[in-house]
């Protein structure tokens, strides 16, 4: 069984694992880096890390069209439910649940989470997924560096998805420090080059990371995939 991850630009990721299709932070409309439109997205599950518009994105529209289940923190899951999304699943930081696609735990994230209409989006999160064949994937999504990444790394990560854009999240230097705590086999950078404010050279960062750590950096262009 392979697990295939596709970057759609910004923090939007498609994940195919065990025959299920997931999209993490499905932001297509208004995402200048997106390689496809929201209408073209197929999904069984949508994972939303926090309430900001560039992460909530098209989740409600995709869920209503495809029947996908939205998984997020309890506040955001309830907010989608109030908008007529039929299937939602609320969790919270530190809590895991066995979903059909694997065991999903919500992790800490240092960030904000206000929803686009000003509602309380609870606390932001990242995702730690153990696939049904035992691969561990950590999606940090929007966060600053925090020392408890070491605890996440102790689970033994095959792949970490880390922001490097700076300003709203970790920049390249703190993302390198995060890798030293997480010690994943592979890392994919996200949340950069969407707008000029988030401009970064991922290939320069890759050289730096691979010189200082054992982790291999996979730099994707929007629409490209990586399989484990
Ligand atoms: Ni955000
Ligand atoms: Mn963001």
């Amino acid at each position: 069984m392979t697990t295939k991850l596709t970057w759609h630009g910004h923090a939007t990721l498609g994940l195919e694992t065990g025959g299920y299709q997931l999209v993490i932070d499905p932001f297509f409309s208004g995402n200048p880096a997106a390689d496809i439109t929201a209408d073209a997205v197929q999904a069984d599950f949508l994972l939303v890390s926090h309430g900001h518009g560039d992460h909530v994105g098209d989740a409600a529209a995709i869920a209503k069209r495809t029947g996908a289940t939205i998984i997020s923190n309890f506040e955001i899951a309830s907010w989608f439910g109030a908008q007529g999304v039929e299937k939602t699943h609320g969790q919270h930081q530190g809590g895991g649940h066995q979903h059909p696609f694997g065991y999903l735990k919500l992790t800490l994230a240092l960030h904000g989470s206000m929803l686009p209409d000003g509602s309380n989006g609870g606390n932001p999160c990242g995702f730690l997924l153990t696939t049904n064949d035992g691969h561990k994937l950590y999606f940090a999504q929007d966060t600053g560096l925090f020392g408890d990444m070491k605890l996440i790394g102790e689970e033994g990560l095959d792949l970490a998805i880390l922001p490097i854009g700076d300003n709203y999240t970790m920049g390249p230097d703190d993302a390198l420090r995060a890798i030293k705590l997480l010690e994943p086999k592979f890392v994919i950078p996200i949340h950069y080059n969407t707008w000029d404010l988030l401009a970064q050279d991922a290939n320069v960062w890759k050289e730096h990371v691979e010189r200082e750590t054992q982790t291999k950096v996979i730099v994707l262009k929007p629409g490209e995939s990586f399989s484990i």
Side-chain angles (χ1 to χ4, degrees):
M1 187 178 99
T2 59
T3 294
K4 180 181 167 191
L5 191 89
T6 304
W7 188 42
H8 293 300
H10 200 53
T12 303
L13 298 143
L15 185 72
E16 291 176 46
T17 183
Y20 294 96
Q21 295 196 68
L22 285 70
V23 184
I24 297 111
D25 290 340
F27 170 50
F28 298 95
S29 306
N31 176 357
D35 61 304
I36 53 172
T37 61
D39 302 351
V41 175
Q42 288 305 320
D44 302 300
F45 295 90
L46 302 167
L47 277 53
V48 176
S49 66
H50 65 286
H52 294 160
D54 58 321
H55 296 262
V56 169
D58 302 290
I62 294 169
K64 286 177 185 175
R65 178 174 53 78
T66 63
T69 300
I70 298 183
I71 302 172
S72 189
N73 70 25
F74 183 80
E75 290 86 349
I76 293 173
S78 302
W79 183 77
F80 279 117
Q83 291 179 46
V85 173
E86 285 187 15
K87 290 189 277 178
T88 64
H89 182 100
Q91 296 183 215
H92 254 303
Q93 285 83 350
H97 181 77
Q98 182 65 49
H99 293 278
F101 56 83
Y103 184 78
L104 183 74
K105 189 152 76 173
L106 268 55
T107 62
L108 182 68
L110 289 183
H111 197 66
S113 188
M114 188 170 74
L115 284 153
D117 64 0
S119 299
N120 173 17
N123 289 313
C125 70
F127 299 104
L128 180 61
L129 172 64
T130 308
T131 62
N132 289 331
D133 61 350
H135 286 120
K136 294 248 189 195
L137 288 73
Y138 170 52
F139 300 85
Q141 302 311 100
D142 285 16
T143 187
L145 178 68
F146 55 92
D148 285 356
M149 284 182 175
K150 182 161 175 45
L151 297 177
I152 297 169
E154 282 172 6
E155 298 222 15
L157 301 179
D158 295 289
L159 174 64
I161 314 298
L162 299 179
I164 65 163
D166 220 347
N167 195 75
Y168 299 118
T169 69
M170 292 188 283
D173 293 347
D174 276 357
L176 169 60
R177 295 170 74 195
I179 289 168
K180 291 176 180 176
L181 296 171
L182 293 164
E183 299 186 332
K185 290 193 188 87
F186 297 97
V187 68
I188 294 175
I190 62 165
H191 215 278
Y192 70 99
N193 287 0
T194 323
W195 301 283
D196 289 346
L197 180 62
L198 305 184
Q200 299 293 341
D201 189 330
N203 288 309
V204 168
W205 183 70
K206 172 183 166 77
E207 283 176 29
H208 194 182
V209 170
E210 293 183 350
R211 200 163 55 232
E212 292 204 19
T213 75
Q214 301 296 311
T215 297
K216 180 115 181 67
V217 179
I218 311 296
V219 176
L220 298 176
K221 293 188 182 73
E224 289 184 343
S225 302
F226 176 69
S227 295
I228 57 167

